């Protein structure tokens, strides 16, 4: 695993190696815009259809387009071949991770983050880390189905039943399967279809080699730009709130940092113990660690109102 990690770092360009720095700068830029120009936040917030914010959705769709165009869809069923690794991934995503987040949380919003499994950015991080794109896409597709079926019932159990037992105020989350399915269709369905069409078109008309060597390098440039754009927009929306409540931000960040660190390394270690190679181990770890913040924001806004901290 060590040699693979060195190879992964070596193949990254200068921009990707400093991506963490660019992300923090994008966050600071978003907070600065939202604080200095409150009208920008209101304008961005007005560009919503139902629970979907158009600028954020556009950024996420463009961000995921390139990783999903690189997926060899005929190989996605490989995720079902090793039943032990699939069972581990499902156990982590739908049992261990929600319980860990619940144990670390002290407010409903954090619990809701733990229940929403990632179907977007995990593909970006997995690709940067040299994970298996096909395997990750397969796991994301499985989690998308489970998310539609389980998010509502699990949110009810953890927020209305389990939380009051530990002194957290109960919250009734009224979210339908169709509302969750809409989130999945927008943030996963659109870029998946666009990516599949792009790959299929060039593979048929120009060949796989042309697609890999000529098309992939060009569309890969879309992802980091879309990622930073999405982060700027997201932090612009709540820039004034973040600036006014820095201690609350730190209180929220602390359990999340612990959650992400514990989940990532524990998932990677367990996958390695079950015989996963580095690419599949990385895919399992990132899939277990990531969370669907788009769905969480939409459900939280519907449950507590847009004015809620």
């Amino acid at each position: 695993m060590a040699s693979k990690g060195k190879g992964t770092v070596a193949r990254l360009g200068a921009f990707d190696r400093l991506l963490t720095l660019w992300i923090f700068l994008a966050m600071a830029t978003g907070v600065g815009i939202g604080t200095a120009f409150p009208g920008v936040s209101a304008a961005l917030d007005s560009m919503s259809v139902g629970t979907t914010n158009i600028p954020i959705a556009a950024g996420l769709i463009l961000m995921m387009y390139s990783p999903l165009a690189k997926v060899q869809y005929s190989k996605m069923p490989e995720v079902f071949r090793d039943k032990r690794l699939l069972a581990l991934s499902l156990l982590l995503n739908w049992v261990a991770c929600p319980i860990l987040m619940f144990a670390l949380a002290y407010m409903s919003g954090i619990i809701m983050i733990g229940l929403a499994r990632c179907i977007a950015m995990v593909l970006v991080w997995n690709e940067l880390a040299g994970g298996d794109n096909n395997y990750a896409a397969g796991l994301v597709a499985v989690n998308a189905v489970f998310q539609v079926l389980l998010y509502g019932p699990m949110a009810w159990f953890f927020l209305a039943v389990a939380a009051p037992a530990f002194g957290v105020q109960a919250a009734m989350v009224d979210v339908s399967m169709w509302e969750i399915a809409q989130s999945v269709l927008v943030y996963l369905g659109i870029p998946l279809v666009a990516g599949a069409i792009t790959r299929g078109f060039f593979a048929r008309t120009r060949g796989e080699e042309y697609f890999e060597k000529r098309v992939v390098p060009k569309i890969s440039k879309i992802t980091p730009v879309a990622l930073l754009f999405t982060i700027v927009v997201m932090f612009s929306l709540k820039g004034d709130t973040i600036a006014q409540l820095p201690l609350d931000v730190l209180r929220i960040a602390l359990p999340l940092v612990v959650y992400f660190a514990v989940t990532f390394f524990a998932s990677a270690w367990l996958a390695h113990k079950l015989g996963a190679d580095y690419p599949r181990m990385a895919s399992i770890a990132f899939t277990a660690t990531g969370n669907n913040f788009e769905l969480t924001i939409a459900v939280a806004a519907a449950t507590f109102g847009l004015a809620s901290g």
Side-chain angles (χ1 to χ4, degrees):
M1 287 192 299
S3 61
K4 176 64 180 180
K6 291 179 181 178
T8 297
V9 174
R11 70 176 175 77
L12 293 177
F15 183 89
D16 289 338
R17 292 187 189 189
L18 296 174
L19 185 59
T20 301
L21 172 62
W22 309 138
I23 288 174
F24 277 111
L25 289 175
M27 292 163 61
T29 300
V31 172
I33 292 173
T35 303
F37 307 101
V40 172
S41 176
L44 289 171
D45 192 43
S46 67
M47 289 187 279
S48 299
V49 177
T51 57
T52 301
N53 182 270
I54 302 302
I56 291 178
L60 288 168
I61 290 168
L62 288 171
M63 181 188 72
M64 291 176 62
Y65 164 67
S66 172
L68 286 170
K70 299 173 189 177
V71 170
Q72 294 174 291
Y73 290 92
S74 61
K75 295 184 178 181
M76 279 181 58
E78 288 180 5
V79 73
F80 298 101
R81 290 181 183 173
D82 192 325
K83 299 297 191 296
R84 296 182 308 157
L85 290 178
L86 177 59
L88 172 65
S89 180
L90 292 175
L91 183 67
L92 289 167
N93 276 282
W94 297 103
V95 180
C97 292
I99 291 176
L100 175 60
M101 185 71 89
F102 179 79
L104 293 170
Y106 46 82
M107 57 180 64
S108 297
I110 298 177
I111 296 172
M112 292 166 71
I113 293 174
L115 298 177
R117 311 316 302 161
C118 189
I119 58 170
M121 285 189 172
V122 62
L123 294 170
V124 178
W125 308 132
N126 177 74
E127 183 180 30
L128 287 172
D132 187 326
N133 266 5
N134 305 319
Y135 200 78
L139 290 177
V140 165
V142 172
N143 278 327
V145 174
F146 273 81
Q147 189 156 259
V148 172
L149 298 175
L150 296 181
Y151 185 83
M154 289 182 69
W156 169 82
F157 173 77
F158 278 100
L159 295 175
V161 179
F166 291 90
V168 178
Q169 184 177 357
M172 295 302 297
V173 177
D174 183 16
V175 56
S176 68
M177 286 187 179
W178 170 237
E179 289 172 315
I180 301 169
Q182 282 180 302
S183 173
V184 171
L185 289 172
V186 170
Y187 298 115
L188 178 61
I190 294 176
L192 188 149
V193 171
I197 290 174
T198 301
R199 185 181 189 94
F201 173 79
F202 283 102
R204 285 194 304 271
T205 59
R206 306 299 294 271
E208 286 283 350
E209 185 177 357
Y210 178 89
F211 174 76
E212 295 291 345
K213 292 184 177 180
R214 302 292 295 275
V215 179
V216 166
K218 292 181 180 179
I219 63 176
S220 294
K221 298 176 182 178
I222 299 173
T223 296
V225 175
L227 168 64
L228 297 179
F229 167 78
T230 304
I231 291 172
V232 170
V233 172
M234 286 186 61
F235 279 81
S236 297
L237 277 168
K238 288 295 181 181
D240 54 342
T241 304
I242 294 172
Q244 293 171 10
L245 303 171
L247 292 180
D248 282 356
V249 173
L250 291 176
R251 286 173 59 233
I252 293 169
L254 181 60
L256 291 178
V257 168
V258 174
Y259 168 83
F260 292 137
V262 171
T263 301
F264 183 83
F265 289 108
S267 301
W269 180 78
L270 288 170
H272 177 64
K273 281 295 185 181
L274 287 180
D277 55 11
Y278 174 85
R280 290 187 299 168
M281 182 194 74
S283 299
I284 290 171
F286 278 109
T287 305
T289 306
N291 295 91
N292 187 346
F293 66 86
E294 315 92 64
L295 175 61
T296 305
I297 291 172
V299 175
T303 302
F304 305 109
L306 286 173
S308 171

